[in-house]
């Protein structure tokens, strides 16, 4: 029997393929890669099924942030059907080199909520990804609303902050989960109120630190039944 390697496939979930090296990342204090975030976004889509919610995979979000060819951009955006979505969640990475995969060093989250016509950026490291987030916002805003609509952008001033240099991806996952839960909650009476207080209350360094094992356990559970 051949020796297993980090490139061995361990799980195929929806359209996401995870490798053994992804388990190693989750097992230690490491920066989350694109695959793990894409897997968790796909899992959230299964947990909160709604035609009104779109969780954008990291590779697509990165392309939307950095593509400079307008014709290619328009053709790529159309299948996402952004005008039909009420809640769109984009992971933001500070890699600006399109020739290098997974070259960034920080994740944050950009969320569009149509009912309030606002983009909100959640950054767990004191606004480190502000420029990258604004770049993505500038690229996609015109596809969200009519050109004469006054779409707003704001930084999540009370966004929870990481206490180390590697948990940013976990904050992205935790905030995305909280927002999806907020959006689908039957208690969400005021549709204009956004999710800021929910994120502040539910996403803490303690809850985020537990997510690494939660995601790892989830993957192992899915592996056992696949």
């Amino acid at each position: 029997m051949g020796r297993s390697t980090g490139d061995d496939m361990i799980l195929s979930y929806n359209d996401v393929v995870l490798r053994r090296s992804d388990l190693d990342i989750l097992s230690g204090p490491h920066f989350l890669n694109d695959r793990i975030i894409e897997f968790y976004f796909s899992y959230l889509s299964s947990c909160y099924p709604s035609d009104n919610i779109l969780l954008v995979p990291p590779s697509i979000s990165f392309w939307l942030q950095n593509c400079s060819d307008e014709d290619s951009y328009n053709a790529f955006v159309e299948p996402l059907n952004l005008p039909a979505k009420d809640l769109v969640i984009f992971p933001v990475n500070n890699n600006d080199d399109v020739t290098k995969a997974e070259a960034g060093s920080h994740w944050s989250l950009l969320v569009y909520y149509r009912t309030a016509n606002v983009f909100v950026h959640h950054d767990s490291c004191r606004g480190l990804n502000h420029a990258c987030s604004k770049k993505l916002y500038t690229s996609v805003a015109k596809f969200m609303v009519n050109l004469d609509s006054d779409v707003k952008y704001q930084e999540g001033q009370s966004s929870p902050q990481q206490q180390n240099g590697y948990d940013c991806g976990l904050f992205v996952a935790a905030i995305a989960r909280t927002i999806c839960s907020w959006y689908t909650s039957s208690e969400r009476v005021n549709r204009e109120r956004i999710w800021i207080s929910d994120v502040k209350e539910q996403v803490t360094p303690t809850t985020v630190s537990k997510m690494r094992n939660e995601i790892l356990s989830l993957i192992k559970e899915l592996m056992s039944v696949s």
Side-chain angles (χ1 to χ4, degrees):
M1 182 179 296
R3 180 181 300 176
S4 63
T5 70
D7 287 333
D8 289 345
M9 185 184 78
I10 58 168
L11 178 67
S12 178
Y13 181 81
N14 295 336
D15 294 327
V16 185
V17 173
L18 292 178
R19 306 288 178 181
R20 189 165 301 280
S21 57
D22 299 322
L23 293 184
D24 295 336
I25 289 173
L26 287 166
S27 298
H30 303 299
F31 178 83
L32 296 195
N33 62 14
D34 292 39
R35 284 196 303 267
I36 296 173
I37 292 178
E38 183 176 2
F39 160 76
Y40 195 70
F41 273 27
S42 182
Y43 173 72
L44 289 178
S45 295
S46 298
C47 293
Y48 303 98
S50 172
D51 291 336
N52 294 324
I53 300 175
L54 177 63
L55 289 113
V56 181
S59 58
I60 294 179
S61 185
F62 173 72
W63 196 91
L64 294 174
Q65 178 184 324
N66 292 287
C67 178
S68 58
D69 183 85
E70 185 174 353
D71 291 337
S72 297
Y73 197 104
N74 293 341
F76 191 84
V77 168
E78 186 175 356
L80 298 177
N81 198 20
L82 296 177
K85 307 302 180 183
D86 192 38
L87 183 71
V88 186
I89 300 177
F90 301 91
V92 181
N93 191 275
N94 63 349
N95 176 21
D96 59 1
D97 186 346
V98 295
T99 67
K100 295 182 179 180
E102 302 188 6
S105 61
H106 183 55
W107 292 105
S108 59
L109 200 70
L110 181 65
V111 186
Y112 175 70
Y113 181 38
R114 182 175 303 281
T115 302
N117 197 23
V118 64
F119 282 85
V120 180
H121 181 223
H122 290 280
D123 193 328
S124 62
C125 192
R126 298 174 296 280
L128 182 63
N129 270 3
H130 172 75
C132 298
S133 174
K134 284 298 293 285
K135 184 178 180 181
L136 177 58
Y137 154 75
T138 301
S139 296
V140 301
K142 59 182 176 290
F143 295 98
M144 296 293 190
V145 295
N146 296 328
L147 293 178
D148 59 349
S149 179
D150 185 21
V151 60
K152 300 179 289 292
Y153 174 95
Q154 67 183 61
E155 289 287 337
Q157 298 297 333
S158 59
S159 294
Q161 298 294 291
Q162 64 193 80
Q163 298 177 333
N164 54 50
Y166 47 79
D167 274 349
C168 52
L170 293 173
F171 274 85
V172 162
I175 294 172
R177 179 177 64 182
T178 298
I179 294 173
C180 287
S181 176
W182 164 85
Y183 184 83
T184 57
S185 173
S186 60
E187 299 177 1
R188 187 170 62 97
V189 178
N190 183 356
R191 299 287 168 171
E192 292 290 338
R193 183 188 72 85
I194 63 174
W195 53 85
I196 300 298
S197 61
D198 297 66
V199 168
K200 188 175 182 179
E201 292 171 5
Q202 299 176 32
V203 182
T204 67
T206 300
T207 58
V208 169
S209 67
K210 295 178 180 178
M211 282 205 71
R212 193 176 291 273
N213 282 332
E214 288 178 15
I215 298 174
L216 183 60
S217 297
L218 171 62
I219 292 171
K220 291 181 176 179
E221 179 181 350
L222 292 170
M223 288 172 60
S224 69
V225 298
S226 63

